């Protein structure tokens, strides 16, 4: 048993010595204006080490020049790769080349900044479940039951973002000196609850509203090129499906359904019977498309003149509009002048153009055969007269 242990320990010792020897191997290299890959090949030959690297990353460094005499491999790689933004690590006789980032130290050891903090509300009570994220990245964590969070960050300084439902999102900068001194007081976002909302029977606030209402402000629609209001609402309201069945500018063909179809027939033509009621500045309108001109009534409303759009989804919309609101109500409020408001002037100019490609003439049947015969007649042919030769 003792002999076996002795042999095992000697093998481990030889393996460690071999790994250390490969790092301390002496190399002598002299190249001018050559690729970095060629330098690695020469170092492999002299040190008996294998190099592992990404060819694209190495080729992007261009050509290099190097001249060293009887230096250790680790020292040569440190002098060569540091100025090229690359780092290296040893794994026995394998040299791994990687891009150097802020997480690479001088000896290619990953380092990080450990930060500890606590999150409370305005009453100084701990807030569990608050999301803590490094700004600009997906690295994040959440506070525990005592409102305490711990993070190991790859940066020496930056900013942390704190968010929670019903509270304002806050941001805080950190540095190496703020390891365990972060204290965040979250503030309630009461502005969204007191925001004015237009409903079927007047104006209320989100705090007092009992129905399902979605609000889209003009800032969310600004600068989006669209020929109709319905196209602007695509993907902005939960539970509302907007389908465009035509690309004609100013035309109809837009099918809107709120919380599903109200018909057993879900074919494309039958979906038009599930369109909601439109109310523009208190005037009920129908999404009517003229069979003569092909234009839609709602397409005449300039999207830049819209101040807000409220979508009423549940039965509370029927309190004033009755059965017409069975498929929901979309209330559009346009911009109006207010008392003591300064005059404003805005211009929106857009231009589009289209090119109809010229397709080649296609021929089939008799026309194709005639075209081939005409082409053959134009081909010169040699003729041999046997009498005159």
């Amino acid at each position: 048993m003792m002999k076996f242990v002795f042999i095992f320990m000697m093998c481990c010792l030889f393996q460690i010595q071999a790994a250390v020897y490969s790092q301390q191997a002496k190399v002598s290299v002299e190249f001018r204006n050559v690729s970095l890959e060629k330098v690695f090949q020469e170092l492999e030959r002299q040190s008996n080490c294998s190099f592992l690297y990404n060819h694209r990353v190495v080729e992007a460094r261009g050509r290099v020049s190097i001249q060293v005499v009887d230096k250790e491999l680790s020292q040569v790689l440190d002098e060569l790769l540091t100025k090229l933004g690359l780092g290296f690590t040893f794994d026995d006789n394998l040299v791994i080349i990687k891009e150097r980032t802020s997480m690479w130290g001088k000896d290619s050891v990953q380092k990080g900044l450990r930060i500890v903090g606590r999150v409370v509300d305005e009453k100084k009570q701990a807030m569990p479940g608050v999301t803590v994220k490094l700004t600009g990245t997906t690295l994040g964590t959440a506070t525990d039951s005592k409102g305490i969070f711990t993070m190991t960050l790859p940066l020496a300084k930056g900013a942390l973002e704190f968010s929670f439902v019903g509270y304002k999102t806050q941001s805080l900068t950190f540095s190496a000196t703020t390891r365990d001194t972060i204290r965040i007081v979250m503030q309630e976002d009461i502005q969204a609850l007191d925001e004015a909302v237009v409903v079927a029977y007047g104006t209320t606030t989100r705090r007092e509203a009992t129905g399902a209402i979605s609000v889209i402000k003009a800032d969310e629609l600004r600068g989006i090129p669209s020929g109709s209001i319905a196209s602007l609402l695509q993907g902005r309201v939960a539970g509302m499906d907007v389908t465009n069945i035509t690309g004609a500018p100013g035309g109809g063909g837009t099918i809107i359904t709120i919380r599903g179809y109200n018909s057993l027939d879900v074919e494309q033509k039958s979906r038009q019977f599930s369109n909601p009621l439109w109310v523009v500045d208190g005037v009920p309108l129908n999404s009517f498309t003229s069979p003569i001109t092909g234009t839609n009534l709602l397409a005449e409303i300039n999207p830049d003149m819209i101040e807000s759009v409220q979508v009423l989804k549940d039965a509370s919309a029927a309190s004033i509009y009755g059965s017409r609101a069975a498929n929901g109500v979309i209330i559009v409020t346009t911009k109006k002048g207010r008392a003591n408001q300064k005059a404003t002037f805005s211009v929106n100019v857009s231009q589009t153009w289209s090119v109809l490609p010229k397709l080649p003439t296609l021929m089939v049947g008799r026309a194709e055969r005639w075209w081939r015969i005409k082409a053959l007649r134009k081909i010169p042919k040699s003729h041999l007269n046997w009498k005159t030769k």
Side-chain angles (χ1 to χ4, degrees), residues 124-286:
K124 305 302 179 183
Q125 296 181 356
M127 293 188 59
V130 177
T131 302
V132 185
K133 187 178 68 171
L134 180 61
T135 304
T137 66
T138 57
L139 180 62
T141 184
T143 57
D144 57 12
S145 59
K146 298 181 180 180
I148 299 175
F149 68 93
T150 304
M151 294 182 66
T152 301
L153 305 175
L155 303 176
K157 59 180 179 179
L160 294 176
E161 186 177 290
F162 301 83
S163 59
F164 193 72
V165 179
Y167 288 81
K168 296 181 180 179
T169 301
Q170 299 190 28
S171 180
L172 179 68
T173 58
F174 67 89
S175 62
T177 59
T178 57
R179 292 180 178 271
D180 54 355
T181 59
I182 295 180
R183 297 293 183 272
I184 291 294
V185 180
M186 301 294 290
Q187 299 178 355
E188 290 188 65
D189 191 5
I190 60 176
Q191 182 179 0
L193 297 176
D194 296 332
E195 182 181 2
V197 177
V198 180
V199 293
Y201 44 82
T203 303
T204 183
T205 61
R206 284 181 177 270
R207 187 190 301 273
E208 298 177 355
T210 57
I213 304 174
S214 296
V215 181
I216 302 96
K217 292 295 184 180
D219 295 338
E220 303 179 26
L221 308 177
R222 184 179 302 168
I224 301 177
S226 178
S228 64
I229 304 176
S231 299
L232 291 175
L233 300 179
Q234 279 185 318
R236 301 183 182 277
V237 179
M240 186 171 73
D241 178 52
V242 181
T243 306
N244 291 325
I245 60 176
T246 179
T254 302
I255 299 176
I256 302 177
T257 56
I258 298 176
R259 291 186 173 180
Y261 309 112
N262 292 336
S263 173
L264 296 177
D265 189 1
V266 294
E267 295 295 331
Q268 197 172 62
K269 293 183 179 180
S270 300
R271 296 181 188 180
Q272 297 179 356
F273 297 103
S274 296
N275 282 338
L277 175 66
W278 290 81
V279 179
V280 180
D281 290 334
V283 179
L285 299 175
N286 290 322

Side-chain angles (χ1 to χ4, degrees), residues 82-99:
T82 301
K83 57 185 179 181
L84 298 177
L86 298 175
F88 67 95
T89 56
F90 282 96
D91 188 0
D92 291 339
N93 290 336
L94 179 64
V95 182
I96 304 174
I97 309 297
K98 293 184 178 181
E99 287 187 286

Side-chain angles (χ1 to χ4, degrees), residues 20 55 108 139 193 218 265 296 304 350 365:
V20 174
H55 291 275
S108 302
L139 180 62
L193 297 176
D265 189 1
N296 187 266
D304 292 336
S350 62

Side-chain angles (χ1 to χ4, degrees), residues 52 154 225 305:
L52 178 64
M305 296 300 297

